[in-house]
């Protein structure tokens, strides 16, 4: 089962996606997501110029060997561009493996560990009353968990809050737009928002909040402490995690659970956080953390230390990645939550898929492989358009985070 063709497809049905499609000599195909938000063409070039030539003629059944070949053979290891490219190849090979076996990929990963994948949606609005309305909408849709993001009074914009609620896409301009941020206003306002939400919806609904790396460790400890009465499932990305030991300081000041990892690209980025139990949920993704093969390694390490999965699932991950994530989610023993931002109708048309949402759960495809594909003719109708994530500056002009 040799790889005879490999195509890198760039398309923008509502937002930019990069997809790798592999074809074997016996006619099987596999797809892998290679989207790196705001840096899509860097991965497309890496695949086209360096990876694809090395794939032609390789045995498509040798998934682990191919992963090691692409990781070790480049000499320059890790990093988001390299690991996203490897992820695309790995995911496509798992798709082919499932089709060759006549099984959905999750069966090759050990079968089901649960009946469905619990997902959370994004309830966001400029005002607290607007947030309450958005939470109610997700509850009506059957969601069992909701991420709550609110505008901050006195700030013109807040990352994570948008006008288009169900199909929010934060990458908004070819050159990053800039906004003003105030940590003081945010720390004062956020607990009041959660007080209202918890009072309105009671203790059973799982609530989450994303800090977007904006706080220092002691500021994050203060926020976590103030949110303890509202029993959040997690506080996400409270501080930049490059300095992993900084999470120890947050742990000393709050029992609010912590989730980190959507920008991690390898197990080495989170080894200390997991081994020292400095986090409760690891949010690494199939597409950015080296594919199904490597993300499974991360989740296995996490399971040894009572850390659960909580994979990133924003719209910058195509339905190819979402499908792959669901096959992994349904099979691992330490699953926690799966983020689920719905794609636009245009995106769903370009990426036909069989996974579906029902009663608060996502269910993976039962078709052989991943149960997702790309319509290449339709994809060609949506050309690439430059789009970058915004950045923040403090009120004095200091460049901050999102």
């Amino acid at each position: 089962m040799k790889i005879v063709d490999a195509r890198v497809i760039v398309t923008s049905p509502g937002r930019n996606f990069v997809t790798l499609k592999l074809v074997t000599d016996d006619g099987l195909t596999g797809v892998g997501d290679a989207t790196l938000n705001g840096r899509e063409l860097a991965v497309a070039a890496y695949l086209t110029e360096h990876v694809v030539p090395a794939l032609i003629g390789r045995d498509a059944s040798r998934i682990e060997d191919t992963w090691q070949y692409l990781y070790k053979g480049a000499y320059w290891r890790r990093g988001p561009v390299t690991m996203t490219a490897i992820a695309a190849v790995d995911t496509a090979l798992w798709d082919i493996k499932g089709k060759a076996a006549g099984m959905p990929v999750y069966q090759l990963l050990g079968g089901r560990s649960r009946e469905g994948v619990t997902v959370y949606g994004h309830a966001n609005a400029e005002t607290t009353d607007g947030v309450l309305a958005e939470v109610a909408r997700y509850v009506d849709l059957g969601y069992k968990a909701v991420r709550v993001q609110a505008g901050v009074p006195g700030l013109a914009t807040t990352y994570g809050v948008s006008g288009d609620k169900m199909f929010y896409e934060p990458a908004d301009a070819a050159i990053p737009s800039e906004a003003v941020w105030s940590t003081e206003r945010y720390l004062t306002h956020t607990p009041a928002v959660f007080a209202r939400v918890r009072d309105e919806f009671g203790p059973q609904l799982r609530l989450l909040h994303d800090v977007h790396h904006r706080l220092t460790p002691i500021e994050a400890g203060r926020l976590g402490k103030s949110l303890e009465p509202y029993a959040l499932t997690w506080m996400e990305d409270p501080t930049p995690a490059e300095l992993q030991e900084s999470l120890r300081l947050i742990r000393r000041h709050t029992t609010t659970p912590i989730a980190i990892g959507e920008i991690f690209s390898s197990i080495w980025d989170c080894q200390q956080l997991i081994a020292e139990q400095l986090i409760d949920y690891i949010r690494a993704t199939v597409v950015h953390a080296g594919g199904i093969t490597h993300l499974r390694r991360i989740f296995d390490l996490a399971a040894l230390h009572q850390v659960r999965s909580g994979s990133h699932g924003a719209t910058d991950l195509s339905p190819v990645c979402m499908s792959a994530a669901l096959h992994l989610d349904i099979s691992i023993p330490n699953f926690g939550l799966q983020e689920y931002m719905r794609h636009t109708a245009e995106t769903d048309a370009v990426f036909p898929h069989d996974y579906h949402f029902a009663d608060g759960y996502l269910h993976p495809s039962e078709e052989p492989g991943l149960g997702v594909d790309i319509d290449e003719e339709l994809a060609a109708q949506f050309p690439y358009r430059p789009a970058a994530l915004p950045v923040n500056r403090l009120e004095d002009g200091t460049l901050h985070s999102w």
Side-chain angles (χ1 to χ4, degrees):
M1 191 166 60
K2 302 295 185 182
I3 299 170
V4 295
D5 190 23
R7 299 191 290 275
V8 180
I9 305 157
V10 181
T11 183
S12 187
R15 66 125 23 247
N16 294 319
F17 297 107
V18 180
T19 307
L20 176 68
K21 190 162 192 173
L22 302 181
V23 182
T24 68
D25 56 2
D26 52 2
L28 294 178
T29 63
V31 289
D33 190 3
T35 307
L36 185 61
N37 199 353
R39 297 293 184 269
E40 297 91 354
L41 297 185
V43 184
Y46 189 95
L47 283 167
T48 301
E49 297 174 14
H50 304 290
V51 175
V52 165
L55 292 177
I56 304 303
R58 290 188 64 85
D59 185 346
S61 67
R62 297 179 62 168
I63 298 177
E64 179 66 35
D65 183 64
T66 299
W67 195 98
Q68 297 293 338
Y69 174 81
L70 294 174
Y71 181 80
K72 296 177 179 177
Y75 185 80
W76 307 105
R77 301 180 184 182
R78 300 162 58 188
V81 173
T82 296
M83 296 303 284
T84 300
I86 292 174
V89 177
D90 184 79
T91 303
L93 292 179
W94 276 104
D95 192 18
I96 290 171
K97 177 80 77 172
K99 290 173 181 175
M103 293 181 176
V105 167
Y106 76 79
Q107 292 288 12
L108 305 181
L109 298 173
R112 288 179 178 267
S113 289
R114 58 200 45 82
E115 296 305 312
V117 174
T118 308
V119 297
Y120 69 90
H122 289 201
N124 69 88
E126 289 292 343
T127 67
T128 304
D129 286 342
V131 168
L132 294 175
E134 288 302 309
V135 173
R137 176 158 66 149
Y138 278 102
V139 170
D140 290 343
L141 288 170
Y143 283 73
K144 303 176 186 302
V146 181
R147 194 186 85 168
V148 174
Q149 306 293 134
V152 177
L155 300 184
T157 62
T158 305
Y159 186 84
V161 176
S162 73
D164 192 348
K165 303 304 181 187
M166 296 296 287
F167 307 107
Y168 169 49
E169 172 51 54
D172 60 1
I175 304 299
S177 59
E178 296 188 10
V180 175
W181 176 253
S182 169
T183 299
E184 294 76 17
R185 295 173 190 262
Y186 168 74
L187 289 175
T188 300
H189 182 62
T190 301
V193 174
F194 277 91
R196 289 278 306 278
V197 173
R198 190 56 87 190
D199 183 63
E200 180 79 16
F201 294 96
Q204 299 306 314
L205 182 64
R206 301 173 74 174
L207 300 179
L208 306 90
H209 179 65
D210 192 346
V211 183
H212 291 116
H213 317 270
R214 294 181 180 121
L215 304 179
T216 66
I218 199 65
E219 290 168 345
R222 174 184 162 191
L223 177 63
K225 188 72 172 178
S226 68
L227 293 174
E228 285 177 12
Y230 314 115
L232 270 62
T233 296
W234 76 47
M235 175 176 66
E236 180 182 342
D237 290 337
T239 193
E242 289 93 335
L243 183 63
Q244 295 190 20
E245 64 186 30
S246 68
L247 272 294
R248 292 197 199 110
L249 184 57
I250 301 175
R251 281 292 207 210
R252 293 190 189 112
H253 290 277
T254 182
T255 58
T256 295
I258 297 170
I260 275 181
E262 72 181 57
I263 63 172
F264 290 169
S265 60
S266 80
I267 197 168
W268 308 111
D269 296 322
C270 52
Q271 179 189 18
Q272 180 181 2
L273 295 176
I274 291 171
E276 296 187 21
Q277 296 179 302
L278 300 178
I279 59 175
D280 302 278
Y281 296 86
I282 177 64
R283 285 188 32 77
T285 70
V286 170
V287 65
H288 296 147
I292 292 172
T293 296
H294 194 63
L295 187 57
R296 180 60 186 259
R297 287 197 181 94
I298 292 173
F299 288 165
D300 285 345
L301 176 65
L304 295 177
H305 297 89
Q306 300 187 48
V307 173
R308 297 179 180 178
S309 74
S311 288
H312 181 59
T315 50
D316 60 342
L317 313 181
S318 83
V320 174
C321 182
M322 179 58 72
S323 183
L326 294 176
H327 285 276
L328 196 50
D329 292 337
I330 206 80
S331 66
I332 61 173
N334 57 322
F335 171 76
L337 278 176
Q338 172 66 57
E339 182 178 17
Y340 175 44
M341 289 182 69
R342 294 166 183 255
H343 292 104
T344 63
E346 292 83 3
T347 296
D348 286 338
V350 170
F351 297 95
H353 55 268
D354 288 333
Y355 65 77
H356 66 280
F357 176 83
D359 301 321
Y361 302 103
L362 272 177
H363 301 272
S365 170
E366 293 297 330
E367 295 296 316
L370 294 175
V372 63
D373 205 346
I374 182 169
D375 183 330
E376 295 184 61
E377 290 187 6
L378 185 57
Q381 298 179 24
F382 299 96
Y384 170 81
R385 57 178 182 81
L389 293 168
V391 297
N392 274 337
R393 292 185 184 273
L394 299 179
E395 291 174 300
D396 67 358
T398 301
L399 189 65
H400 195 47
S401 184
W402 294 334

